[in-house]
């Protein structure tokens, strides 16, 4: 335990130094290119994933949470962390029995035929199949012993690391690392309470009670505690096992459509969704019903975001990029005060790609990549719930393609999104159209009534000499800034070359010790030159955004 904090600090320092090194153009032999950057970042992502797996439970969960923050980590790291699935050796069956007796007491007598071999084992818990005296077939999810102590130690060190990074002049600027660490602490400690997962499972099951095509295990409440979760045993075929599905007489294409439709219902109708629908958490029953497992990571769309969902869909359907960006701002997805220009241009490209048939097979995967590239290093945030939605839809898209080569999530989504095209969420017909026209007329009238006052204020400011006219030519400003930086860098390069020549001449002169003078003089110049290269690279990254330049 004494060495563990040192290992965590070493990992944090190694990651920060690695990210800094990856961002330096001069660190690439043969010159920097986008492909070389991505290749190095992919290696960095694989290394970090292995380190998180080695550190165990808290860091595996931390990695899954950080994978919802593409604003603070490069896209390659985000995508790799999203794949974190822990598979660790099982702990002894005797420990399982002792823990069940501690948690359940006399209620343990209800459990018979508890299988000693676990169905699955992860860093947080392991699952055993059992039978109850009533004949009910169940599974028991039992938490690993001593887990809470390790969690709290790891989370305390994470808080210290976050506070240190926050004080760094570069890494702390524009990012709330302390807030991120506190949010991770809150979420991770909640994961240790299996009663919350039981509530999630019950709520999720309630949403699909009337749908025979979707199956969610029921909670056995009397045998569920803080460290034990008891659910009905619902066996099924792994959703990606196409051959087994065919042998069971199940049409894979129908399962792909059913999975996508169920997820769209979670988003559009309920706002409460499964945030980790990877193939290991999805199965197919013998009668073709889709089964969901593992309810530790669930997402919920905020009432503010859901309230504007219809307006967003209408703007997207009309390919109104400016209108969609405005709705995203009002929903709090884009922080106030942020220049919407780059976002608007990317949204326009995304809408064009997503809504123009024939639909690309991996359109959501590519749009997610575009979104990650946009938000990394920029002064605005995307809510984790939106990232979880994008990731889950991308996952379903991938599963659907593995089952049916002609699968199109965009085409399946249309009937579920059509009701949102009306202002009330569907079914209003002419009344909705009339309400929308009335709303727009009222908005136009309100603006028209405000015109005289705005004109009077402007005339008064002109008379007083207070009126300032600001003209923003973003492209020209950016080119002029880059030109100035390039000239400054060229001047410093010439100065460094002159100092190098002076050092060479002094080295072969009668007094070679004087070579220290130009070498010392070159240090601040060299550091300034490196900083200029970093600024030029950041400006170049902005120019490469869709629609920029």
């Amino acid at each position: 335990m004494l060495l563990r904090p040192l290992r965590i600090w070493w990992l944090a320092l190694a990651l920060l130094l690695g990210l800094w090194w990856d961002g330096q153009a001069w660190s690439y032999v043969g010159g920097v290119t986008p492909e070389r950057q991505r290749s190095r970042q992919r290696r960095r992502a694989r290394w970090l994933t292995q380190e998180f797996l080695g550190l165990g439970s808290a860091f595996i969960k931390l990695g899954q949470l950080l994978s919802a923050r593409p604003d603070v980590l490069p896209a390659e790291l985000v995508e790799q962390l999203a794949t974190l699935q822990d598979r660790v050796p099982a702990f002894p069956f005797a420990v399982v029995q002792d823990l069940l007796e501690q948690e359940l007491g006399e209620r343990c007598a209800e459990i018979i035929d508890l299988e000693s071999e676990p169905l699955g084992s992860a860093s947080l818990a392991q699952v055993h199949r059992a039978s109850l005296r009533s004949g009910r077939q169940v599974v028991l999810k039992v938490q690993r012993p001593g887990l809470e102590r390790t969690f709290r130690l790891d989370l305390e060190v994470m808080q210290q690391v976050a506070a240190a990074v926050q004080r760094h002049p570069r890494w702390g600027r524009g990012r709330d690392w302390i807030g991120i660490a506190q949010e991770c602490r809150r979420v991770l400690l909640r994961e240790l309470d299996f009663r919350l997962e039981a509530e999630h499972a019950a709520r999720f099951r309630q949403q699909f009670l009337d749908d025979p095509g979707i199956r969610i295990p029921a909670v056995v409440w009397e045998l569920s505690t803080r460290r034990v979760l008891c659910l009905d045993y619902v066996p099924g075929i792994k959703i990606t096992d196409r051959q087994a599905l065919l042998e069971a007489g199940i049409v894979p294409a129908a399962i792909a459509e059913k999975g996508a439709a169920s997820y769209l219902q979670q988003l559009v109708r309920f706002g409460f969704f499964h945030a980790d629908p990877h193939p290991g958490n999805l199965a197919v029953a013998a009668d073709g019903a889709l089964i969901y497992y593992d309810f530790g990571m669930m997402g919920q769309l905020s009432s503010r975001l859901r309230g504007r969902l219809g307006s967003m869909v209408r703007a997207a359907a009309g390919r109104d990029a400016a209108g969609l960006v405005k709705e995203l701002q009002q929903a709090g997805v884009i922080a106030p005060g942020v220049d919407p220009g780059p976002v608007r241009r990317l949204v326009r490209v995304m809408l064009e790609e997503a809504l123009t048939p024939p639909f690309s097979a991996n359109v959501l995967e590519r749009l997610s990549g575009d979104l990650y590239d946009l938000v990394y290093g920029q002064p605005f945030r995307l809510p984790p719930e939106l990232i979880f939605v994008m990731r889950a839809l991308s996952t379903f898209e991938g599963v659907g393609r593995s089952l049916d080569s002609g699968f199109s999530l965009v085409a399946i989504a249309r009937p579920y999104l059509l009701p949102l095209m009306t202002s009330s969420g569907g079914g209003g017909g002419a009344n909705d159209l009339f309400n929308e026209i009335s709303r727009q007329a009222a908005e136009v009238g309100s603006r028209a009534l405000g015109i005289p006052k705005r004109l009077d204020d402007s005339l008064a400011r002109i008379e007083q000499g207070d009126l300032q006219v600001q003209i923003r030519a973003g492209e020209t400003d950016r080119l002029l800034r880059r030109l100035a930086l390039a000239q400054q860098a060229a001047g410093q390069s010439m100065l460094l070359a002159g100092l190098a020549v002076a050092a060479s001449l002094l080295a072969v002169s009668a007094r070679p010790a004087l070579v220290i003078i130009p070498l010392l003089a070159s240090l601040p110049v060299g550091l300034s030159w490196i900083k200029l290269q970093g600024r030029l690279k950041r400006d170049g990254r902005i120019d490469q955004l869709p629609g920029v330049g």
Side-chain angles (χ1 to χ4, degrees):
M1 281 295 182
L2 292 176
L3 293 177
R4 191 169 179 82
L6 294 176
R7 185 180 175 187
I8 296 171
W9 272 102
W10 174 87
L11 175 61
L13 291 173
L15 176 60
L16 291 174
L17 286 172
L19 291 175
W20 172 83
W21 177 259
D22 293 344
Q24 306 307 309
W26 49 264
S27 68
Y28 292 84
V29 178
V32 61
T33 65
E35 183 52 43
R36 286 177 179 172
Q37 283 184 311
R38 285 192 292 270
S39 176
R40 187 185 285 185
Q41 287 177 351
R42 282 193 290 268
R43 289 196 300 272
R44 185 85 52 204
R46 288 192 291 269
W47 164 80
L48 182 63
T49 301
Q50 291 304 313
E51 290 292 327
F52 275 13
L53 284 170
L55 283 168
S57 309
F59 280 86
I60 291 168
K61 294 298 179 183
L62 175 67
Q64 292 172 345
L65 291 176
L66 286 177
S67 69
R69 297 304 303 262
D71 52 332
V72 298
L73 291 175
E76 283 73 16
L77 282 179
V78 168
E79 292 168 1
Q80 184 69 29
L81 290 175
T83 65
L84 262 177
Q85 300 298 326
D86 50 327
R87 294 290 182 271
V88 297
F91 53 91
F93 182 61
V95 176
V96 175
Q97 293 175 308
D98 290 344
L99 195 144
L100 288 174
E101 290 177 3
Q102 292 173 23
E103 290 291 310
L104 301 177
E106 295 180 356
R107 289 171 291 172
C108 267
E110 293 296 317
I111 303 171
I112 59 174
D113 297 331
L114 178 64
E115 294 185 358
S116 58
E117 198 67 30
L119 293 176
S121 178
S123 59
L124 206 64
Q126 64 188 40
V127 179
H128 290 260
R129 184 180 173 184
S131 301
L132 303 185
R133 290 192 180 277
S134 62
R136 191 174 182 178
Q137 299 296 303
V138 298
V139 292
L140 290 159
K141 183 177 180 179
V142 183
Q143 191 174 114
R144 285 185 174 270
L147 196 62
E148 186 166 350
R149 181 187 173 198
T150 306
F151 252 59
R152 292 191 179 277
L153 173 64
D154 290 350
L155 292 170
E156 183 61 36
V157 179
M158 287 181 207
Q159 295 280 121
Q160 296 170 6
V161 172
V165 174
Q166 192 69 61
R167 289 193 292 268
H168 191 277
R170 179 183 173 188
W171 286 98
R173 186 173 64 249
R175 294 184 175 95
D176 184 10
W177 291 108
I178 295 175
I180 293 172
Q182 289 173 344
E183 176 65 12
C184 288
R185 179 186 180 89
R186 184 187 68 81
V187 173
L188 291 178
L189 288 178
R190 283 168 60 90
E191 288 248 4
L192 293 179
D193 191 346
F194 287 173
R195 292 172 298 188
L196 293 174
E197 184 174 346
E199 291 174 8
H200 291 162
R203 179 179 174 181
F204 194 65
R205 186 170 186 267
Q206 190 71 28
Q207 292 179 172
F208 293 101
L209 272 181
D210 298 329
D211 188 345
I214 305 297
R215 201 157 296 163
I216 291 97
V219 179
V220 183
W221 291 101
E222 60 271 21
L223 295 179
S224 296
T225 68
R226 193 173 187 277
R227 294 196 292 167
V228 174
L229 175 62
C230 186
L231 299 168
D232 278 344
Y233 175 60
V234 184
I237 305 167
K238 190 173 181 179
I239 194 169
T240 51
D241 192 345
R242 196 172 189 278
Q243 185 60 37
L245 292 175
L246 290 171
E247 290 174 359
I250 298 169
V251 180
I255 297 301
E257 185 170 346
K258 185 179 295 184
S262 73
Y263 202 80
L264 289 164
Q265 286 185 62
Q266 295 169 45
L267 297 176
V268 175
R269 289 183 56 194
F270 307 115
F272 182 69
F273 60 93
H274 198 295
D276 192 25
H278 63 79
N281 288 338
L282 297 169
V284 183
D287 60 356
L290 181 66
I291 307 169
Y292 281 88
Y293 300 127
D294 194 349
F295 310 98
M297 288 184 67
M298 304 295 288
Q300 185 165 353
L301 295 178
S302 66
S303 57
R304 187 180 184 186
L305 188 58
R306 288 191 71 200
R308 307 209 68 86
L309 192 58
S311 300
M312 292 178 192
V313 172
R314 286 197 297 275
R319 295 181 183 169
D320 179 7
L324 181 55
V325 169
K326 181 181 177 182
E327 292 295 336
L328 292 171
Q329 286 176 315
Q330 292 179 351
V333 174
I334 301 174
V338 171
D339 180 9
V343 189
R344 193 183 302 116
R345 287 188 285 271
L346 178 64
V347 167
R348 187 175 295 113
V349 173
M350 292 171 74
L351 289 177
E352 195 66 30
E353 290 190 6
L355 301 178
T356 303
F359 302 118
S360 171
N362 61 339
V363 62
L364 283 169
E365 183 180 335
R366 291 190 293 107
L367 293 183
S368 297
D370 290 342
L371 195 65
Y372 295 168
D373 289 338
L374 175 71
V375 300
Y376 177 59
Q378 301 301 317
F380 60 90
R381 304 288 175 262
L382 289 175
E385 60 190 12
L386 190 63
I387 303 301
F388 280 129
V389 168
M390 289 291 291
R391 183 190 305 155
L393 289 174
S394 299
T395 302
F396 267 115
E397 189 179 53
V399 171
R401 288 202 310 272
S402 70
L403 295 173
D404 176 19
S405 58
F407 176 79
S408 170
L409 183 58
V410 174
I412 294 172
R414 293 178 67 182
Y416 294 91
L417 299 181
L418 280 175
L420 295 175
M421 296 295 291
T422 60
S423 58
S424 63
N431 288 333
D432 288 324
L433 179 60
F434 179 76
N435 291 336
E436 180 65 15
I437 293 173
S438 300
R439 184 190 65 79
Q440 293 187 15
E443 185 177 343
V444 171
S446 175
R447 291 183 179 178
L449 289 173
I451 288 175
K453 185 177 184 304
R454 293 171 66 186
L455 284 173
D456 186 58
D457 290 343
S458 298
L459 290 171
R461 292 176 65 188
I462 290 173
E463 290 174 354
Q464 297 165 8
D466 292 336
L467 186 66
Q468 294 180 350
V469 180
Q470 292 183 345
I471 301 174
R472 294 189 61 190
E475 183 65 21
T476 304
D477 290 345
R478 189 162 51 251
L479 289 174
L480 288 174
R481 183 173 64 251
R482 292 197 69 191
L483 182 60
L485 290 174
Q487 288 178 339
Q488 192 175 350
Q492 291 183 351
S493 298
M494 293 177 65
L495 181 56
L496 284 171
L499 289 171
V501 171
S504 300
L505 292 174
L506 287 171
V508 297
S509 68
R511 303 180 68 180
L514 293 177
V515 75
I516 194 66
I517 297 174
L519 289 178
L520 289 175
S522 67
L523 285 176
V525 180
L527 289 173
S528 178
W529 182 84
I530 291 172
K531 289 181 179 178
L532 280 173
Q533 296 303 312
R535 292 177 64 184
L536 283 168
K537 180 187 174 186
R538 285 194 295 274
D539 277 358
R541 185 186 300 160
I542 293 173
D543 285 343
Q544 291 171 5
L545 286 172
V548 178

